[in-house]
Amino acid sequence: VLSLCCEACKKVIFHVPSELEADTLVGRVDLKECLQSAEFVSSTDGNFKILEDGSVYTTSALSLSAEKKTFTILLKDIQERVEKKIHVTLVEEEKKKTRHARDTVLKRTKRRWGPIPSVMIENSLGPFPLQIQQVQSDTAQNYTIYYSASGPGIDQDPKGLFYIERETGNIFATRAVDREQYPSFQIICFATTPDGYSPEVPLVHTIRIEDDNDNAPYFTQDLFEFCVPENSKPGVVVGKVTAEDRDEPYTLHTTLKYRIVAQNPPITPAFSLHGDTGVISVLLPQLDRELVPSYTLLVEVRDMAGQPFGLCTTGTVVVKIEDTNDNAPSFKQIQYETRVEENRVNVEILRVSVVDLDEPGSPGSGAVYEIIRGNDDQAFEITTDKNTNEGILCVVKGLDYESAKQRVVVIGVNNEAPYLLAPHSQQLSQSTCSVTVHVLDVDEGPVFKPCLLRLDVKECEDIGTAIGRYVAEDPETGNSEGIRYRIPPGQCNWINIDDKSGEVRTVKVLDRDIGEMRRGQCNITVLAIDRNGKTGTGTIQVCIVPGNKNFPRIAQTDYIMCRDREPICLTAQDDDEAPYSTPFVYRITDRNLATMWKINPQNDNSAYLSPKGDIPFGIYDIPVSVMDNGGKVGETTVRVNLCDCVTPTECDGRTRQLSGGNVTLGLWAILAMILGSLLLLLILITICGCCGRGVMHRQVTDDCANHNLIISNTEAPGEEVMDHNIIPLQSTCDQGGYGVKTGDQQTFEVVKGRGHTLESVKGGGHQTLGSVKEGGQPMVDTCRYSYSEWHNFTHPRLGEKVHLCRQDEEQKHSEDYLLSYNYEGKGSLAGSVGCCSDQHEEEALDFLDQLEPKFRTLAETCIKR
């Protein structure tokens, strides 16, 4: 409970008119004079409301019954526990200053109390205070007016920027303003009398700050980096630089121009820069990456459309030249010599290397070797070492020393990528080299078959996984008995080899995402040693291939399906690479749910889940298995809330729960089914009863209908009016007549306040069958005159009554005949039942066939069969 200290602060008197309309400004009270930080402001009188600036407005129309009216304004500071009171008294102003002077002032305030928006130059040099506008009220002709203002720049941040002279209404600025920080100000100006009365509505005045070019443009990036293929043609777009300016948009202050100031290296300009768009294009037709791998450009942007007096900023652009295969590989040596023992098979005998000026590691520098001549018997084979780009020459068939003591092999080289001829250059011939192989007649040691063995290992295989066998043979015996194997140290420690069997196993988990294994392969030299100590060498190339190490899973598992039962799109994710990821195969593993739901594939990684039929609402937990292209299966439970809604946001989770795919009906559902069954049984009993009394209904006469159709809105018999205005009708409807049947008397009445005129005959004032449906009005006999007879009967009489109304100065006749009626809507399509006709044709009642079923029984009763 807060104990507030309450005391009266001051008293305020307002002179106001005796009649005040709703939302009328009464006056303005200085609240801060009493309490600086008022958290709660209220009025003790509900007819008044107090705004934060102290303005007092009426909430409803108010009349000063006495000469004055008093109420209290309560100010509360909850934190400081302080409460202040301001007593307000409203005194009726003198009659001589009320209406005529106020009306004149209100007609002229639109011209003098609403000046055009003020303009102040940004970063103005003064002198300060600087007058920027004057506001005046025409009520100053009748009152002493004091002017005040509030809002941003006055009593809100930035405070003290503007002020208004109390007596003259001149608005002054006290210092310069930055447009980028404050583009405009909206202040509220007040005009009050010395006693606090406000004859004018507060004026919202706008002060616009006019832009000054005080901000230099700046680039959106500190460094722009672009790439362009070498030997690109002039005009090829390299990239685009962009700059911004904080000054006012769509002015010269923000109209920018770009240009290249300098280029490094300072050779022939290689690029051009569009002055308006900032697009950089190729200018030099010969961009050679091997000569200049990159260019550094110093670019400038200047506002004021590039004029010399505009502000400017510079930026840096780096253009890297991408490599193309415009340099053919060439051998380092033209002649090679090597030796090999006879009968050696699958043994490496030589490595050749090439020189390529293209970027290392790119397809333009990757070497592809081939044997052009000297290999008719296919005794030699050459492959490429991907790590060193060298060519490995091996003997794949044993050479016979006695047949040929030496062989000459010619090797050619190309690149993996096609050769692109650079501009202004000539086509080069393929580089070749010759290799002289001397065959030695010696006792050979073990020979590996093949000399280079490639072993593919799936990543993340367990340690100790057997990945292959690499054995050597003794040329003398032709078998591998007695041969020992080992791997020399200093190589990548990925595998080991059994010293007896030559079986190769992994010594660590091979993962392409770790360290040296990112290369994906490694060449390992293996030694084979026979019983005599002779050795043979072979190479194992271990290649890590992507494996199926991750399970596919469905990313989103919770869904809401509304009554439109739009299919749900299931999307799975698999971190493996191809071919162990997509396409995915979806399947519902629960047999019960599989009879209620179905999955249709959409694309390689998505499928649609939808119900097979009209299944009950509720929450379904559906186990869905996803199998990737590698056969790995991951199962995810998808929860589907089948909700009776239009949009998913309408579902609050309080649906019927399903357990194990079985639908459980709630208490209300069972109760609804029971009530529905009882209602159906009641309808059947009613139909049977109606069929049993069908013969009786056919014998009902018109008299029965008249006795059964009771006028429900007649509370007492009407008065009998004997007047010449009453049109007598004959008692039978066959002789023509229109009347409301009340007891045994049938008359047509034109009664004051309830009469039927010619306009009402056209659909405005008679009860029709539609009005019976709406309001329960009494039924009208279906016998009627034709419209022409009714018109001929009423037209001369109406003319006579109108003539009498014109002759009567006291308008007594018109009070009985000329009545005002409100428009009650469009008339019934069936026509008015007030237009009598002596024709008893069935066709005149065709409109009854278009009525709703519940009115057909009533219509059938009224028709004479």
Side-chain angles (χ1 to χ4, degrees), residues 706-846:
N706 294 333
H707 289 293
N708 291 332
L709 297 178
I710 301 173
I711 300 175
S712 60
N713 62 347
T714 302
E715 298 180 357
E719 298 178 0
E720 293 187 359
V721 181
M722 300 302 295
D723 197 348
H724 62 278
N725 295 327
I726 299 177
I727 303 171
L729 299 177
Q730 297 181 9
S731 60
T732 63
C733 109
D734 289 338
Q735 294 174 352
Y738 171 91
V740 177
K741 187 176 290 188
T742 305
D744 294 329
Q745 184 180 1
Q746 189 175 22
T747 62
F748 181 93
E749 296 182 354
V750 180
V751 186
K752 180 180 179 181
R754 294 285 183 177
H756 300 271
T757 66
L758 190 60
E759 288 297 320
S760 68
V761 172
K762 297 179 182 178
H766 286 292
Q767 294 102 349
T768 65
L769 196 58
S771 65
V772 174
K773 175 182 175 181
E774 293 291 331
Q777 299 295 333
M779 287 294 297
V780 181
D781 286 349
T782 58
C783 306
R784 62 187 67 180
Y785 278 114
S786 64
Y787 178 78
S788 59
E789 294 174 348
W790 172 253
H791 181 270
N792 295 333
F793 178 81
T794 58
H795 186 71
R797 289 162 177 77
L798 290 177
E800 179 183 355
K801 300 303 179 182
V802 172
H803 177 71
L804 292 176
C805 291
R806 291 177 180 175
Q807 301 299 325
D808 187 7
E809 294 181 357
E810 295 181 0
Q811 302 296 328
K812 292 183 179 180
H813 287 84
S814 63
E815 292 179 359
D816 293 336
Y817 306 111
L818 302 179
L819 305 178
S820 299
Y821 291 90
N822 289 330
Y823 179 72
E824 297 180 353
K826 184 178 180 182
S828 171
L829 296 176
S832 172
V833 297
C835 298
C836 295
S837 174
D838 58 352
Q839 299 176 4
H840 302 287
E841 297 179 358
E842 295 285 289
E843 289 76 13
L845 302 176
D846 289 342

Side-chain angles (χ1 to χ4, degrees), residues 170-459:
N170 292 328
I171 301 176
F172 291 90
T174 60
R175 59 182 183 272
V177 185
D178 185 4
R179 188 204 68 84
E180 286 71 39
Q181 187 176 7
Y182 302 105
S184 65
F185 297 87
Q186 280 194 342
I187 62 175
I188 303 176
C189 301
F190 303 92
T192 57
T193 59
D195 59 0
Y197 172 67
S198 296
E200 295 281 10
V201 177
L203 170 67
V204 178
H205 182 61
T206 301
I207 302 176
R208 186 176 65 86
I209 308 301
E210 186 173 336
D211 184 49
D212 180 31
N213 190 21
D214 59 340
N215 291 281
Y218 59 92
F219 286 101
T220 56
Q221 297 177 216
D222 295 333
L223 177 66
F224 293 91
E225 291 184 335
F226 304 112
C227 296
V228 62
E230 61 178 333
N231 302 317
S232 295
K233 295 180 179 180
V236 174
V237 175
V238 177
K240 180 180 179 180
V241 295
T242 55
E244 296 178 353
D245 197 318
R246 295 181 58 204
D247 289 323
E248 187 172 0
Y250 310 110
T251 63
L252 273 177
H253 299 164
T254 54
T255 303
L256 308 180
K257 287 286 186 180
Y258 302 89
R259 72 184 184 95
I260 298 177
V261 179
Q263 172 185 293
N264 187 28
I267 56 176
T268 305
F271 304 96
S272 63
L273 177 60
H274 195 282
D276 296 327
T277 62
V279 174
I280 301 175
S281 304
V282 175
L283 183 64
L284 185 66
Q286 296 178 349
L287 294 177
D288 193 348
R289 187 200 68 85
E290 288 73 34
L291 294 179
V292 182
S294 66
Y295 292 85
T296 301
L297 306 178
L298 182 65
V299 295
E300 176 191 87
V301 59
R302 185 182 296 269
D303 59 15
M304 301 299 293
Q307 300 183 44
F309 53 83
L311 304 178
C312 66
T313 303
T314 59
T316 303
V317 179
V318 175
V319 181
K320 295 182 179 180
I321 309 302
E322 294 180 343
D323 181 56
T324 59
N325 189 21
D326 60 342
N327 294 278
S330 60
F331 285 100
K332 292 182 178 180
Q333 296 179 224
I334 300 177
Q335 295 288 336
Y336 289 91
E337 288 189 7
T338 185
R339 292 174 175 80
V340 62
E341 298 172 350
E342 63 175 336
N343 299 322
R344 294 289 300 274
V345 180
N346 295 325
V347 60
E348 176 185 330
I349 60 174
L350 180 67
R351 285 181 174 249
V352 295
S353 57
V354 295
V355 176
D356 197 324
L357 298 179
D358 291 321
E359 187 175 1
S362 67
S365 64
V368 178
Y369 300 92
E370 61 177 339
I371 300 175
I372 300 176
R373 293 191 303 272
N375 193 31
D376 296 336
D377 58 352
Q378 303 297 318
F380 299 95
E381 184 182 76
I382 188 167
T383 58
T384 303
D385 188 338
K386 297 296 184 182
N387 296 326
T388 62
N389 208 30
E390 295 176 327
I392 303 174
L393 182 62
C394 297
V395 177
V396 294
K397 287 184 179 180
L399 302 178
D400 187 5
Y401 174 79
E402 288 70 25
S403 298
K405 295 183 180 180
Q406 68 178 23
R407 299 278 299 268
V408 178
V409 178
V410 178
I411 302 174
V413 64
N414 291 308
N415 287 128
E416 296 177 4
Y419 177 73
L420 299 178
L421 185 64
H424 310 292
S425 61
Q426 298 179 352
Q427 180 70 43
L428 300 177
S429 59
Q430 184 182 22
S431 177
T432 60
C433 71
S434 63
V435 179
T436 302
V437 180
H438 299 279
V439 182
L440 302 178
D441 185 16
V442 294
D443 184 12
E444 302 177 16
V447 177
F448 282 100
K449 296 181 179 180
C451 63
L452 176 64
L453 177 65
R454 176 187 174 95
L455 296 178
D456 292 335
V457 185
K458 291 184 179 180
E459 62 176 334

Side-chain angles (χ1 to χ4, degrees), residues 842 845-852 856 859 863:
E842 295 285 289
L845 302 176
D846 289 342
F847 68 91
L848 294 176
D849 296 333
Q850 307 298 327
L851 300 178
E852 295 184 1
R856 292 179 180 173
I863 297 176

